[in-house]
Amino acid sequence: MLHDRVVSRSYSLSSSKLSRCVLFLSLSYIFFVQMYASANRLQQVRKPGPTPGPNPCPSPEPKPGPSPRPAPTPTPPGARNTTFPAIFAFGDSIVDTGNNNYILTLVRANFLPYGMNFPHGVPTGRFCNGKIPSDFIAEFLGIKPVLPPYLRPGLTREDLLTGVSFASGGSGYDPLTPIEVRAIPMSDQLTYFQEYIEKVKGFAGKEKAEHIISKSLAIVIAGSDDLANTYYGTHTEEFLYDIDSYTSFMATSAASFAMQLYESGARKIGFIGVSPIGCIPIQRTARGGLHRKCADEVNVAAQLFNSKLSTSLHSMAETLKNATLVYIDIYSLFTHMIQNPEEYGFDEIDKGCCGTGLIELGPLCNQFTSLLCNNVSSYMFWDSYHPTERAYRILTKKFVEDDLSPFYDK
Ligand SMILES: *[C@@H]1O[C@H](CO)[C@@H](O)[C@H](O)[C@H]1NC(C)=O
Ligand SMILES: *[C@@H]1O[C@H](CO)[C@@H](O)[C@H](O)[C@H]1NC(C)=O
Ligand SMILES: *[C@@H]1O[C@H](CO)[C@@H](O)[C@H](O)[C@H]1NC(C)=O
């Protein structure tokens, strides 16, 4: 259980201020949820097809130009002598580098201030002020500085050969999670992956394509939205499942995703667990009481899911031939950062940098209504849900250095 030391920071609100604040929060939250709901009624997720359809918005991501691979960052300890030809990312907003720009959903971040610290200060659809873990993994492994989203039109062969993200903000292991917000379900992310493989076979040949798929790193991260949005947010599944059976269901769905990645040819597969999402600002606001404590119940659920995910991947790993299937923990470091922010140079860990920091997320974090914090680097969270680039960099560096050794060829 996460004991939250930071709540002692005093919140001296007068009672009238407090009631106005609560009213504002409730109205905003209702507004946000209703926008999602109306989006659901009106809009349809584009199904994967053989060719990505017409592009509804111009590609905002700057082309890195003709620059070749970045100078490889210092080899992480344990990296020995392996290079991964490519990185593939699956899951939710933590690794979605912009796929949601190309589908009809309100779970988007392709407007300022999102992206203000991304190269050239452009919003790209990443749910952050800058780069996100999928980018950092590619950067730290010396593959490329940023990982493009698969749905972005005009990807080059080189872009495809070195990897893409299939992830979609708002998705999850529970099939209901992406449906509620019109995100790309995990099953469709796999369909896109298979479509990708066929494309690469088409221009690079079957053998090279299979080599790339089997030697590259496939990273999967999801589950936060199942717990925070579907189970504890809209309570959609709370009546059908207790948390023990819901987390089992999530872990089973994750294991089946792992099996399907394997069947598609992936051989180096890492699943990242859920972070202490009871401590993200919006959970503190919604469930943490007046002092905005961490929502312990949600953290317990995250830990329960992580341990089930770890167990089921471990037992599956023993049956998969020639494959490495690994559970990667970020819960511990994340918790340590929240409990010891000064060690990491963070002054603020319970509010996001965008707006009041209490609720803003997606469309509610925008350049028209949201003031920004003075120093985003001193904040652990960018919006009420997602870490800042600097927090993501710390988290990603740790697991790239410490947890990837099983993937290096002997
Ligand atoms: C890495 O491996 C390649 C091929 O196995 C070998 O030629 C090269 O010398 C190795 N490099 C280092 C630094 O060990
Ligand atoms: C495992 O690797 C060996 C040696 O590379 C190969 O002969 C065998 O077919 C592989 N098995 C599977 C299931 O991929
Ligand atoms: C912003 O925060 C970072 C991290 O704590 C710190 O290193 C930096 O000096 C701060 N910048 C300013 C202008 O205060």
Side-chain angles (χ1 to χ4, degrees):
M1 181 146 339
L2 184 62
H3 294 288
D4 177 6
R5 287 214 239 133
V6 190
V7 287
S8 53
R9 191 169 298 192
S10 63
Y11 270 80
S12 47
L13 289 169
S14 73
S15 64
S16 77
K17 261 190 192 161
L18 186 62
S19 51
R20 262 183 283 144
C21 175
V22 168
L23 180 66
F24 166 68
L25 291 180
S26 332
L27 289 178
S28 313
Y29 197 70
I30 290 166
F31 167 62
F32 193 53
V33 167
Q34 283 188 344
M35 280 200 314
Y36 269 14
S38 54
N40 284 352
R41 285 193 298 275
L42 296 174
Q43 304 182 332
Q44 289 247 317
V45 178
R46 188 168 70 78
K47 283 284 163 198
T51 47
N55 168 19
C57 13
S59 162
E61 191 159 315
K63 282 279 170 189
S67 68
R69 295 182 165 216
T73 36
T75 315
R80 294 181 206 111
N81 193 7
T82 298
T83 52
F84 300 96
I87 298 289
F88 305 111
F90 302 87
D92 61 22
S93 57
I94 298 168
V95 290
D96 175 1
T97 52
N99 287 310
N100 279 14
N101 299 348
Y102 308 107
I103 60 169
L104 291 167
T105 175
L106 277 170
V107 188
R108 282 203 185 184
N110 55 347
F111 40 82
L112 286 169
Y114 286 96
M116 69 176 202
N117 303 111
F118 195 76
H120 309 289
V122 263
T124 56
R126 288 168 172 81
F127 291 79
C128 190
N129 57 310
K131 288 164 57 163
I132 59 174
S134 34
D135 300 314
F136 284 127
I137 298 170
E139 179 192 322
F140 295 157
L141 293 176
I143 295 173
K144 51 186 172 183
V146 297
L147 195 69
Y150 178 65
L151 293 186
R152 192 178 79 202
L155 292 179
T156 64
R157 290 181 176 187
E158 179 63 16
D159 288 333
L160 294 174
L161 290 172
T162 49
V164 288
S165 171
F166 298 93
S168 169
S171 200
Y173 295 123
D174 177 352
L176 203 54
T177 301
I179 289 174
E180 285 185 342
V181 295
R182 298 284 176 193
I184 305 169
M186 299 299 283
S187 55
D188 287 4
Q189 294 182 26
L190 266 170
T191 310
Y192 282 130
F193 183 49
Q194 282 147 6
E195 178 190 293
Y196 161 92
I197 296 171
E198 290 311 309
K199 272 188 199 168
V200 173
K201 282 182 180 167
F203 66 77
K206 185 167 183 289
E207 204 167 308
K208 179 154 189 208
E210 282 170 358
H211 176 84
I212 290 172
I213 306 307
S214 65
K215 293 291 182 187
S216 297
L217 187 60
I219 287 286
V220 187
I221 177 163
S224 306
D225 296 333
D226 298 319
L227 293 171
N229 303 349
T230 311
Y231 195 82
Y232 290 111
T234 59
H235 304 279
T236 326
E237 302 282 39
E238 216 173 342
F239 303 106
L240 296 173
Y241 298 93
D242 61 21
I243 192 60
D244 186 45
S245 39
Y246 189 65
T247 48
S248 297
F249 165 63
M250 287 166 62
T252 305
S253 166
S256 131
F257 192 79
M259 182 54 92
Q260 288 170 286
L261 280 178
Y262 179 83
E263 284 165 358
S264 305
R267 291 294 177 268
K268 299 182 178 192
I269 305 170
F271 277 70
I272 301 175
V274 172
S275 59
I277 46 171
C279 297
I280 64 177
I282 199 159
Q283 287 292 329
R284 290 178 184 264
T285 303
R287 309 173 68 87
L290 288 185
H291 294 295
R292 299 185 66 250
K293 291 188 193 179
C294 294
D296 284 338
E297 188 186 4
V298 182
N299 283 341
V300 169
Q303 286 171 296
L304 194 58
F305 167 67
N306 286 343
S307 75
K308 289 176 181 179
L309 177 65
S310 161
T311 307
S312 63
L313 294 179
H314 191 80
S315 61
M316 182 182 277
E318 291 171 357
T319 68
L320 296 184
K321 292 266 183 314
N322 298 350
T324 309
L325 179 58
V326 171
Y327 167 77
I328 299 168
D329 172 73
I330 54 164
Y331 193 99
S332 319
L333 176 59
F334 208 110
T335 302
H336 195 260
M337 288 165 74
I338 290 170
Q339 291 178 340
N340 308 277
E342 65 293 339
E343 272 184 41
Y344 301 89
F346 292 115
D347 297 332
E348 189 62 72
I349 53 95
D350 64 4
K351 284 190 279 180
C353 173
C354 188
T356 62
L358 306 176
I359 50 141
E360 289 90 341
L361 166 68
L364 291 183
C365 167
N366 63 72
Q367 59 183 323
F368 307 108
T369 63
S370 313
L371 295 175
L372 294 177
C373 62
N374 285 330
N375 183 1
V376 64
S377 295
S378 66
Y379 275 60
M380 170 118 178
F381 290 94
W382 162 245
D383 60 17
S384 67
Y385 208 105
H386 302 97
T388 51
E389 177 185 75
R390 201 167 80 80
Y392 269 151
R393 176 186 286 276
I394 295 169
L395 287 159
T396 311
K397 196 162 191 70
K398 159 82 166 53
F399 76 72
V400 169
E401 288 180 355
D402 294 355
D403 298 316
L404 297 191
S405 49
F407 295 114
Y408 297 120
D409 295 325
K410 306 290 176 304

